[in-house]
Amino acid sequence: MTVLAVGEGRRGLVVGGVAVGLAGVVGLHGVIPNSPGQVGSLGESFLPWCGVVVVLLTGVALVRRSGVGLVALLLPVGVWVHSFGGLLLPPPDPGARELVVVQHNVSDENPDPAGTARALLAAGGDLVALQEVVVPALAVYEDVLGADYPHHVVHGTVGLWSKYPIQKEQLVDIRPRAFEAGWSRGLRAVVRTPYGDVAAYVAHLPSVRVGVRGLASSPRDESARMLGDIVRGEKIGAVILMGDLNSTVDDRGLEPLTSQLNVAERGFAFSYPAALPLARIDQVLARSAGVSHIRTLPATGSDHLPVAARVTLDPLPPSGRPAP
């Protein structure tokens, strides 16, 4: 009996030790060093999935009747709920100054751009941001989206379709130094919405690769820093950034953006890969506005799922003009 009790106690300590370590990873991920192999960024890309590990550990503790393990598991449960529990809440009621924004990497190998465009129309967005818009498919998107979105702009392989007039538009240079001159994946447009002018940015940050040496993300991180500097200098108060940022909002690689823009308050909206979504790398971020909810839309011919976000703009100042 004594030997059995000792064995059960050790098993409980093992579960408890893993539970404490898991709580540290979720709650203190920012202190995990990023070298070697960008291990910090890699772990941050999948932080929400730590909740699944907690569930599995709870099952182990119950099967083994480990009171020590169950008590220890309260720590990672609390940390996970604090970090991600709000994302599970239902969507709030629509706001008075709300825009619906649709974001989609349509894939440069999409076999059905017309079907993809029709699927995006069904979301009823005010703005539609697309990436990987290649020349053969561009005319299709313009034709299908044109009736509902009479205003649009395309630079390189990114585009924005809007129900409201676009006053100004320009290329945004976020090309990493090592990339060839033809690489163009950023734009800025001033959209005249019923709630005031909004600086709308569409971006597609460089891809990352996961290999035996870890996460290769230097070009993405460089591009994120460039975009962060541009957004920081934006004179219009209200900003909406839409794009395939090849990163989750927990990844420190996006800190130049997430440190100054609001992220989605509710909804996980894992968007990639479409066949088995593991992470949301398609983002809608905002300044002088809140992203109250984000959700995925049905699959298209792309390897990404589309996402739709509800963006509530801050109230106008007493003058009735948009904040500077």
Side-chain angles (χ1 to χ4, degrees):
M1 294 294 291
T2 302
V3 173
L4 182 60
V6 170
E8 291 176 349
R10 287 176 178 174
R11 288 194 295 270
L13 290 175
V14 170
V15 173
V18 175
V20 172
L22 195 61
V25 169
V26 177
L28 301 172
H29 59 87
V31 303
I32 299 174
N34 219 17
S35 59
Q38 301 289 91
V39 63
S41 284
L42 182 59
E44 288 164 339
S45 299
F46 301 100
L47 277 182
W49 291 102
C50 289
V52 176
V53 181
V54 172
V55 172
L56 293 175
L57 286 174
T58 301
V60 172
L62 288 171
V63 168
R64 295 185 173 184
R65 299 180 180 180
S66 171
V68 173
L70 288 172
V71 171
L73 281 165
L74 293 175
L75 180 60
V77 168
V79 172
W80 190 94
V81 169
H82 174 74
S83 300
F84 302 109
L87 299 177
L88 295 171
L89 295 175
D93 293 333
R97 294 167 50 79
E98 184 174 275
L99 297 173
V100 176
V101 174
V102 175
Q103 149 60 30
H104 192 25
N105 179 327
V106 294
S107 174
D108 56 4
E109 298 179 348
N110 192 321
D112 184 19
T116 296
R118 288 192 294 269
L120 299 178
L121 279 174
D126 298 291
L127 303 176
V128 176
L130 304 182
Q131 299 82 47
E132 296 197 14
V133 180
V134 292
V135 172
L138 175 57
V140 177
Y141 292 118
E142 290 176 330
D143 180 57
V144 177
L145 296 175
D148 288 59
Y149 299 93
H151 313 281
H152 83 280
V153 57
V154 176
H155 280 287
T157 57
V158 299
L160 177 69
W161 275 257
S162 172
K163 288 186 175 180
Y164 307 118
I166 293 176
Q167 186 179 20
K168 299 177 182 178
E169 52 86 7
Q170 65 191 78
L171 169 73
V172 171
D173 185 8
I174 55 172
R175 179 175 62 89
R177 289 167 294 180
F179 283 25
E180 61 185 17
W183 193 92
S184 177
R185 292 187 180 182
L187 69 81
R188 171 189 180 269
V190 178
V191 181
R192 180 144 287 179
T193 79
Y195 318 115
D197 288 353
V198 172
Y201 287 81
V202 182
H204 184 187
L205 300 189
S207 300
V208 300
R209 296 289 183 267
V210 180
V212 294
R213 295 185 179 181
L215 186 71
S217 64
S218 293
R220 181 204 65 190
D221 296 347
E222 181 183 353
S223 192
R225 290 191 295 269
M226 296 172 70
L227 183 56
D229 290 340
I230 293 169
V231 171
R232 188 173 294 107
E234 175 60 58
K235 301 302 182 183
I236 293 178
V239 173
I240 301 176
L241 168 61
M242 303 151 280
D244 174 4
L245 304 187
N246 269 305
S247 191
T248 69
V249 294
D250 300 302
D251 184 349
R252 68 193 67 182
L254 285 192
E255 188 174 2
L257 298 168
T258 55
S259 62
Q260 58 177 319
L261 299 173
N262 295 320
V263 303
E265 300 167 1
R266 301 184 185 186
F268 281 100
F270 294 155
S271 63
Y272 184 83
L276 182 64
L278 296 175
R280 186 178 79 238
I281 63 175
D282 295 275
Q283 308 292 354
V284 177
L285 310 177
R287 186 180 78 191
S288 294
V291 185
S292 60
H293 184 258
I294 191 167
R295 63 186 175 93
T296 55
L297 301 174
T300 68
S302 172
D303 55 344
H304 292 241
L305 293 178
V307 299
R310 291 166 50 187
V311 178
T312 302
L313 299 173
D314 289 350
L316 290 171
S319 66
R321 298 178 181 178

